[in-house]
Structures are given as structure tokens and as C-alpha cells.
Amino acid sequence: MDSPFPPAAIKRLGQNFLIDPNIIRKIVALAELTPTDTVLEIGPGRGILTEALYHAAGHVTAIEIDPRLYAYLTERQPRSSNLTLVLDDAMTYPIEHLPIGTIIVANLPYYLSTPLLFRLLDQRDRFPRMVLMLQNEVVDRLVAKPDRSDYGVLSVLAQYAAEITKVFRVSAQCFRPRPEVDSAVVLLKTKHQRALDREEEPKFFALVKAAFAHRRKTLVNSLKDQGYEQKAVTAALHSLALSPSTRAEVLSSTQFIELTRRISGTGF
Ligand code: SAM
């Protein structure tokens, strides 16, 4: 017979389980779920959030990578529940097949939170909002505004794809085992309209990464080092009324979009 006790946490898989019912309530309230909503949860773990989600929503798909937790949850799953448990890696699971309008609610495994977030944002046309628990430090970078020390590639790319609000901090005491870092819950309302088309987006991503490659250099020099033509960059900055000595960290996401358009207009 299967053990009634949940399997022990595996650190490598980011297994810090929530134990505070108040935090669960706040997360679920923030997702504004109705009985017709479809939800995706990544990493159901021992199921504390999952249970609250399937009581509030019409259907929940929960993807868990750990076969021990998958077996534990399957064993305890109510007979006719609106929950589909999936044993898979959320980095390769075909999220593009989920219904349009799916709401994402998850306490993400921190070792993988940034790549997972970008994978989800890439498919934002089907996900109108996401309520995510992340490391506090990552949340601060997601919401950072230009000219702040935590403003960088993550801020620009995420703010390009979503309106982001840091909603509340969560102390390490609310988890077992306790994580080594503080956490925070963030709400991402994805942008319906893509400011750049699908072909231009990779150019935007590459430009932002190149711009922040050397924070202490001017934007012109950083981009030149990464193979961009200096003249084209200077002309693009000039057309945006920006000085040639501008640094990457003062440009907003919208200004990076404009810069991409102007530089790619020169054939780059
Ligand atoms: N939702 C639970 C909670 O709030 O207590 C568990 C959250 S725990 C921070 C992260 C969960 O993600 C763990 O159950 C872990 O096994 C799972 N996980 C880790 N990597 C994963 C991956 N690549 N795909 C799917 N699940 C993953």
C-alpha cells in the first residue's frame, strides 16, 4: 500500500511547500477565478494550492515533474474531480495546446522560474493573467523601472509582454522546508496586442540583451561590441531624441521597442 505520508522534499527540484492557508487564500483571490475558468498550475507538489484551485475554477491542469508527488496526488484525487494531473516537465509540456483564456496560478520552482516565466510569456496570447510566487529578488527585477539598480534584461522583456504588479511578500516561514530566500507574489496581466510582430521580436530580445551586456558602457559602445553598426545605432538614438552617451538602463521597454524598429529599418 502507498504511504499516507507525503514524500520528502527534494531540494534540487525547488520543493518548498506552502503550509500557510492564508497565503493560499490570497493567491486564489488574486486570480479572480470563476467556475468556468481553466487553470494551469505548474508544480502542484503536495497539492495544497491545487485543491483550492479546483474548488474555485472549472478545470485545473497541474503539471508535476516528480513521479513520487504525482503518485501521491493521484492517490488522493477525488473521484470525479475537475483536475487533470500530468506527470511531465513544464519546460517541454505543450502549453500551446491549452485552451485560450487559461489562467496560470503557480508557486514556481525557483531554480527554473525565469526560463519558465519566459516560456509562459511567449505563449501569452492564451494566458490573460498569471499569479506567480517567485523569489522576492526576481519580482523586484520584474517590476523595476528605468534607472534603478535592479532594472535590466528581465525587466524590459517582461514589461514588454505584461503589466506587472508586485502584490505581497511572503516570508520563508510560510514554507516547509523553508527556502533560503524571501518570496513574493506577482500578478502579470499579459498584453493582448504585440507591439512587435513575431519576426521582429527576436531582434528586440537580442538588442536588449546586447544593450545590457556591459552596464557601465554607453549603449552605442555596448551594441558596437556585439556587432551592431555604430552609425546606425547613433542615428537611431538621434531620431529618438536620445544622446549618443545614453546608457541602456535609462531606456524604457517602449524606447527599446522603438530602437529595435529604427535599427532593423536599417537592415540589421
Ligand atoms: N505548489 C506546491 C506548493 O505551493 O506547496 C509546490 C510548489 S514547489 C515551490 C515547486 C514544485 O514544482 C515542486 O512540486 C516540484 O517538484 C515541481 N517542479 C520542479 N521542476 C518542475 C518542472 N520542470 N516541471 C514541473 N514541475 C516541476
Side-chain angles (χ1 to χ4, degrees):
M1 216 182 96
D2 287 328
S3 159
F5 299 110
I10 300 178
K11 198 173 176 185
R12 168 178 64 79
L13 290 177
Q15 291 179 355
N16 300 99
F17 302 108
L18 270 168
I19 54 159
D20 186 333
N22 267 326
I23 303 293
I24 301 290
R25 264 195 294 278
K26 283 165 84 173
I27 292 175
V28 175
L30 196 56
E32 296 185 23
L33 300 175
T34 70
T36 56
D37 282 326
T38 302
V39 172
L40 168 68
E41 184 190 9
I42 291 174
R46 295 174 177 170
I48 182 171
L49 178 59
T50 320
E51 190 179 338
L53 291 173
Y54 68 65
H55 282 126
H59 188 268
V60 178
T61 299
I63 309 169
E64 175 56 62
I65 201 170
D66 183 342
R68 304 167 317 144
L69 287 169
Y70 173 79
Y72 175 80
L73 291 173
T74 307
E75 175 88 352
R76 275 148 197 82
Q77 184 172 10
R79 223 159 234 268
S80 58
S81 85
N82 53 347
L83 167 67
T84 304
L85 287 166
V86 180
L87 175 61
D88 208 342
D89 179 346
M91 281 304 285
T92 50
Y93 178 83
I95 53 169
E96 61 280 10
H97 294 161
L98 288 164
I100 289 182
T102 297
I103 295 158
I104 300 177
V105 186
N107 171 14
L108 289 183
Y110 293 170
Y111 78 99
L112 203 57
S113 55
T114 311
L116 271 173
L117 177 61
F118 279 111
R119 182 148 201 261
L120 299 173
L121 285 176
D122 187 52
Q123 288 296 320
R124 63 187 175 279
D125 299 340
R126 59 191 61 246
F127 306 134
R129 61 186 178 280
M130 312 185 195
V131 178
L132 303 176
M133 173 93 75
L134 298 166
Q135 303 96 302
N136 184 54
E137 171 257 327
V138 172
V139 172
D140 284 343
R141 282 162 55 209
L142 286 175
V143 298
K145 295 292 171 213
D147 228 0
R148 295 285 309 262
S149 60
D150 42 13
Y151 184 70
V153 177
L154 189 63
S155 331
V156 179
L157 299 189
Q159 289 168 28
Y160 162 70
E163 300 290 343
I164 311 173
T165 315
K166 176 175 178 173
V167 190
F168 57 92
R169 270 181 86 143
V170 182
S171 117
Q173 309 240 30
C174 300
F175 303 84
R176 287 290 178 282
R178 290 180 197 177
E180 278 143 25
V181 291
D182 272 347
S183 305
V185 170
V186 70
L187 170 68
L188 296 101
K189 290 193 173 171
T190 56
K191 295 183 182 169
H192 295 301
Q193 300 241 302
R194 286 185 187 250
L196 294 165
D197 58 39
R198 280 257 181 207
E199 295 81 66
E200 284 174 317
E201 276 188 357
K203 291 183 182 173
F204 169 71
F205 297 155
L207 180 89
V208 174
K209 283 179 193 156
F212 282 98
H214 304 284
R215 283 187 86 99
R216 276 181 300 168
K217 289 191 178 178
T218 63
L219 187 57
V220 175
N221 283 337
S222 289
L223 293 180
K224 192 176 78 177
D225 286 357
Q226 305 291 319
Y228 289 78
E229 207 189 298
Q230 184 170 354
K231 260 191 181 163
V233 177
T234 313
L237 284 175
H238 182 72
S239 71
L240 292 170
L242 291 165
S243 127
S245 62
T246 300
R247 288 172 201 279
E249 63 255 35
V250 302
L251 262 64
S252 66
S253 194
T254 314
Q255 285 174 308
F256 272 112
I257 292 169
E258 271 313 310
L259 197 62
T260 306
R261 287 202 182 110
R262 311 226 172 176
I263 294 180
S264 60
T266 67
F268 198 90

